Amino acid sequence: MEIDFPFHFDNHGRTAATGDDDHIRDMIEQFLFTNAGERVNRPEFGSGLLQLVFAPNSPELAVALQFTVQAGLQQWLGILSKYRRWK
């Protein structure tokens, strides 16, 4: 069990916990919706996806975004694939 995101308390007043699948989904969501520079101790963490919401669309932008998001997920959450195999 992992701590649920966003942080909150359960019905018993304890820190809410979540299962492995939900925890991984939460971590992916954190990466996608965080801009680089937002985190003090990890300034390079984040996809910058929100900066591109209103950017002009093009095939080149789509390919570049796909590449950067995949690379970032591999860099920051790549351990998750190993974690899933251990269980």
Side-chain angles (χ1 to χ4, degrees), residues 23-24 27-28 76-85:
H23 181 65
I24 291 171
M27 292 177 70
I28 293 170
W76 293 106
L77 305 177
I79 189 70
L80 296 178
S81 62
K82 295 176 187 174
Y83 173 76
R84 299 280 291 167
R85 280 187 247 142

Side-chain angles (χ1 to χ4, degrees), residues 2-82:
E2 301 286 345
I3 295 176
D4 198 11
F5 179 83
F7 182 82
H8 63 280
F9 298 105
D10 64 11
N11 295 334
H12 303 288
R14 294 177 281 199
T15 300
T18 187
D20 292 335
D21 292 337
D22 284 337
H23 181 65
I24 291 171
R25 181 191 46 80
D26 290 343
M27 292 177 70
I28 293 170
E29 187 175 301
Q30 287 177 47
F31 173 76
L32 291 176
F33 296 117
T34 300
N35 288 320
E38 280 187 35
R39 298 215 172 168
V40 175
N41 293 327
R42 290 187 176 169
E44 60 278 349
F45 179 84
S47 68
L49 184 67
L50 295 178
Q51 295 174 346
L52 300 173
V53 170
F54 296 108
N57 196 2
S58 69
E60 294 82 13
L61 178 63
V63 170
L65 183 61
Q66 180 182 0
F67 177 77
T68 56
V69 167
Q70 284 178 343
L73 287 171
Q74 183 63 37
Q75 177 184 356
W76 293 106
L77 305 177
I79 189 70
L80 296 178
S81 62
K82 295 176 187 174

